[in-house]
Amino acid sequence: MTDTRDRQLAAQYDRYPYPARDPAEEAKRLIVGSPSHLREVDHWIFGARRPASRPLRALIAGGGSGDGAIMLAQQMATAGRPGEVVWLDRSAAARQVAEARAAKRGLGNIRFQEGSILDLPDPALGRFDYIDCCGVLHHLPDPLAGLRGLAGSLAPGGGIGLMVYAPHGRTGVYMLQDALRLLAPPEEAPAARVEVARRALRHLPETAWLRRNPWITDHTEGGDAGLYDLLLNPRDVAFTVPQLAQLIAAAGLQLRCLVEPVRYDPDRYLPDPRLRERTARLDPVGRAALAEALCGNMGVHIAYCVRAEDAPALPDWNDPAAVPVLRELDGPALARGLPGEGTLTATFDGLRVQLPLPRLAAAILAQVDGRRSLGEIAEALVRNGAAREQVGRDMLALRDAMEPMNRLLLAAPG
């Protein structure tokens, strides 16, 4: 599946490992995000049903400079979770950066393997419970063949986290890519192309759409690697929601969710009852496509998928033994800061979404510490004077508000 553009792509990432990372900064912070956050994998892929004690084999397919591998391996190590993260990429330069980052953290649960996802499935690598493919499919000569290879590398009950570019939020990018192909053809050396691109950006007309797109910053904040990946990449294909859904289905997978789910709910943006009568007639992909087209600010789509032949494991919010967890939030601190009007405001790439909260939201969140179960939290609220029926209703209402934000999830059972 290689071609001239693919060879140019390989040269790009050898010259500019992406994203640009300094291993010395590992002591300052852990870069987290989606897909492949351990709490998301436990919740969206395994339905909070796969025991935390069961070893997890994860593949980071197209690992680059290591963000996904470092995040997942560090979260597993911190939580004492057994298993292995396999970093796979064909760039030796990217491997050097990723290995140096892992060494700074003392991570011993990452195995580095140079190779191409175009050669998957690979019997030597075996099968995986979870596969990350973030920012790779949209650069492949044949994205469907690549995704089928990943799907063929999944163990039964496993799943995949994907990130692909989306067209509307990248308004301006493809226009400037066209311009730079004329000024700096892909056949030229990467360093020469970067120099030409920087000169062109200094003289970009005020009417250029990229100047009006506040959500795209790789060319201004990502160094030479970010600029090259955004504007000089030899192959860059964006997917609408229906195109991504079609790709997933054709690869023998089923879509579990798009992240964050609330962004893909058109009713969040259309309060008019007459319009909601019409959105109710749409299937889930149609509803997500409508939200994408209405908002116009989605520059990527993040999806969790499972094998089509597997029944998806769904989180059981009615299980009193289930343990709720917050993703990058502190329950008591969040409870203290909740507004009094009963709504929570979430902002996604400049878009504000108002989420209604139940009356007992603060009291529930104050109990969410990653250890107490849903049943224990309910009993604590009842002892404090809340009616049991109200507690049950409000716990589910809080789920309805915060699970679609990808912030309130269920943990893997101990």
Side-chain angles (χ1 to χ4, degrees):
M1 294 197 308
T2 60
D3 57 12
T4 299
R5 289 187 180 183
D6 193 59
R7 290 188 288 272
Q8 292 166 348
L9 195 73
Q12 167 192 335
Y13 290 121
D14 271 333
R15 179 64 178 82
Y16 300 112
Y18 181 83
R21 297 291 183 235
D22 180 357
E25 294 185 355
E26 293 305 309
K28 302 177 182 177
R29 50 86 182 103
L30 174 67
I31 296 173
V32 298
S34 302
S36 304
H37 192 290
L38 183 57
R39 288 186 169 176
E40 294 178 14
V41 174
D42 286 339
H43 184 89
W44 296 117
I45 295 293
F46 301 121
R49 297 170 187 269
R50 191 179 194 274
S53 59
R54 185 176 171 187
L56 178 70
R57 287 204 80 222
L59 173 68
I60 310 299
S65 55
D67 281 4
I70 296 295
M71 174 184 67
L72 184 55
Q74 182 64 71
Q75 290 174 339
M76 290 171 62
T78 300
R81 299 276 289 271
E84 175 187 51
V85 176
V86 177
W87 174 100
L88 178 70
D89 201 294
R90 59 184 177 179
S91 171
R95 176 177 180 170
Q96 289 180 351
V97 176
E99 282 189 320
R101 295 176 66 186
K104 284 287 185 181
R105 292 182 171 272
L107 293 173
N109 57 351
I110 305 180
R111 176 157 63 97
F112 293 90
Q113 179 74 39
E114 285 186 37
S116 173
I117 72 171
L118 303 180
D119 297 327
L120 295 175
D122 182 352
L125 288 177
R127 294 185 180 270
F128 297 89
D129 306 303
Y130 175 71
I131 296 175
D132 168 292
C133 187
C134 184
V136 178
L137 292 179
H138 46 236
H139 296 314
L140 295 183
D142 187 341
L144 177 56
L147 187 53
R148 281 176 171 161
L150 296 175
S153 302
L154 278 177
I160 298 178
L162 301 174
M163 186 279 277
V164 297
Y165 294 146
H168 304 327
R170 287 169 67 81
T171 295
V173 170
Y174 298 108
M175 301 173 194
L176 198 51
Q177 283 186 6
D178 290 343
L180 290 175
R181 285 192 194 95
L182 297 172
L183 284 171
E187 294 75 23
E188 294 185 2
R193 299 189 74 210
V194 167
E195 193 267 340
V196 170
R198 293 216 174 275
R199 287 178 177 271
L201 286 172
R202 288 197 291 268
H203 303 287
L204 202 60
E206 294 180 0
T207 53
W209 280 107
L210 187 60
R211 292 189 60 170
R212 303 183 180 199
N213 189 336
W215 307 296
I216 300 295
T217 59
D218 249 13
H219 59 305
T220 57
E221 300 177 4
D224 289 348
L227 182 148
Y228 206 107
D229 195 66
L230 181 72
L231 299 177
L232 297 170
N233 202 296
R235 179 161 32 228
D236 174 340
V237 179
F239 294 81
T240 63
V241 166
Q243 289 168 340
L244 177 58
Q246 183 179 23
L247 179 74
I248 290 170
L253 300 166
Q254 55 180 311
L255 179 63
R256 175 68 184 85
C257 79
L258 293 164
V259 176
E260 293 81 6
V262 68
R263 301 186 66 176
Y264 295 88
D265 179 0
D267 289 349
R268 301 288 181 177
Y269 319 116
L270 301 175
D272 187 325
R274 296 287 292 276
L275 294 177
R276 288 189 174 185
E277 289 177 6
R278 292 175 177 266
T279 64
R281 304 171 195 166
L282 299 173
D283 64 17
V285 171
R287 289 175 60 84
L290 174 58
E292 174 187 24
L294 284 171
C295 296
N297 68 339
M298 297 178 188
V300 301
H301 294 308
I302 296 167
Y304 284 110
C305 318
V306 296
R307 304 192 320 163
E309 61 264 41
D310 293 339
L314 303 179
D316 185 1
W317 288 92
N318 293 308
D319 179 5
V323 176
V325 290
L326 289 160
R327 184 191 178 284
E328 268 67 69
L329 293 171
D330 177 81
L334 179 60
R336 291 192 298 270
L338 284 181
E341 64 271 18
T343 61
L344 183 64
T345 301
T347 302
F348 303 106
D349 296 322
L351 179 65
R352 290 165 58 89
V353 178
Q354 299 289 333
L355 301 165
L357 296 178
R359 182 171 61 86
L360 295 177
I364 296 169
L365 289 169
Q367 299 282 328
V368 177
D369 58 4
R371 298 184 300 273
R372 295 185 181 95
S373 68
L374 292 172
E376 290 169 336
I377 292 172
E379 290 303 320
L381 268 61
V382 170
R383 286 196 301 271
N384 288 335
R388 188 174 298 277
E389 295 77 10
Q390 183 71 43
V391 170
R393 287 195 300 269
D394 281 17
M395 290 182 77
L396 290 178
L398 185 62
R399 182 275 315 268
D400 291 342
M402 296 193 66
E403 184 190 41
M405 290 175 59
N406 197 35
R407 286 299 180 267
L408 182 63
L409 308 172
L410 293 183

